[in-house]
Amino acid sequence: MRRLRRESWGFAVGSALFFVGVLLAYSSWAGLVWTNATFFAGSIFFTMAGLIQLLLSGRRAPDIQMNRADRTDWWAAAIQFAGTLLFNASTGAALVAAIIEPDRVGAGWRPDAWGSIAFLVSSSLAVVATKDRGELWDRDARTWHGTGLNMLGSIAFGVSAVAAFVRPATGELVSAAMANFGTAIGAACFFVAALLARRTIEEPARDG
């Protein structure tokens, strides 16, 4: 239960930091370096929460004796964890660029794009695991509201990654507004999903 709460809070804090980071009022007040530091901190919370989720998902690497739901759940968690590491790389690169080369645009875009793809794949696998949630080691580990919100969040992060691509001809982003909007929507979805997951794990244990 304690580890589940830490997982939920980790995703909630990480999502909140990503949401705050795209707010114009915050970025204007904090400046380029601290804004990117906020994103990097958010990615660290994502990674810590993702690791806890991976360790809890089936509690071991999948094998032929594991049922399909637990196996799919494990792979969803593993790919999501890989995605968080890629976000560590992308936000870290952006932070370093903000310190050393503040005029550079699009630093860390490749790992950001791959991280978004990993989140989309993970969310798709989570849908499969949720279909058979009654067979999961913990049937509350996946719920339709959480899976749906995480899928929407992953799609929004994917839109953000596409919008953050730097056009070679102009050296400018495809759409800075859409990049920020996609990040904000994705972070909001992940935040709500994390809070709903915490509410679920705090329910009294059922008999039987």
Side-chain angles (χ1 to χ4, degrees):
M1 292 293 288
R2 184 177 303 161
R3 291 167 72 189
L4 283 168
R5 290 192 182 95
R6 288 174 181 170
E7 171 196 340
S8 178
W9 279 116
F11 281 124
V13 173
S15 300
L17 289 172
F18 267 76
F19 185 84
V20 168
V22 298
L23 296 178
L24 181 59
Y26 176 79
S27 58
S28 298
W29 171 79
L32 184 63
V33 172
W34 283 106
T35 297
N36 281 286
T38 301
F39 288 124
F40 182 67
S43 75
I44 297 299
F45 276 99
F46 273 153
T47 297
M48 292 189 296
L51 178 59
I52 293 173
Q53 185 176 49
L54 177 59
L55 294 175
L56 290 172
S57 297
R59 302 181 184 278
R60 66 185 188 277
D63 54 42
I64 58 174
Q65 296 180 341
M66 184 181 289
N67 65 52
R68 187 184 75 161
D70 280 334
R71 185 166 56 249
T72 306
D73 181 58
W74 189 91
W75 278 110
I79 294 172
Q80 177 180 258
F81 177 63
T84 67
L85 294 176
L86 289 164
F87 284 129
N88 292 163
S90 62
T91 55
L95 175 58
V96 171
I99 296 171
I100 300 175
E101 195 177 356
D103 292 332
R104 183 181 177 187
V105 178
W109 182 81
R110 286 186 183 277
D112 181 59
W114 283 109
S116 297
I117 292 172
F119 269 39
L120 282 169
V121 173
S122 172
S123 296
S124 299
L125 290 173
V127 170
V128 177
T130 307
K131 288 173 60 180
D132 300 320
R133 59 179 293 217
E135 300 177 11
L136 289 172
W137 68 276
D138 174 10
R139 60 183 179 180
D140 285 334
R142 298 288 180 185
T143 60
W144 281 115
H145 57 251
T147 299
L149 284 167
N150 283 326
M151 175 61 82
L152 289 175
S154 297
I155 293 172
F157 266 33
V159 170
S160 175
V162 172
F165 178 74
V166 178
R167 300 177 187 271
T170 63
E172 297 179 351
L173 304 183
V174 170
S175 174
M178 284 303 298
N180 289 335
F181 182 72
T183 300
I185 294 298
C189 289
F190 294 144
F191 180 79
V192 175
L195 292 188
L196 290 175
R198 186 176 187 276
R199 183 185 64 182
T200 298
I201 64 177
E202 288 185 341
E203 291 176 353
R206 292 182 292 266
D207 294 333

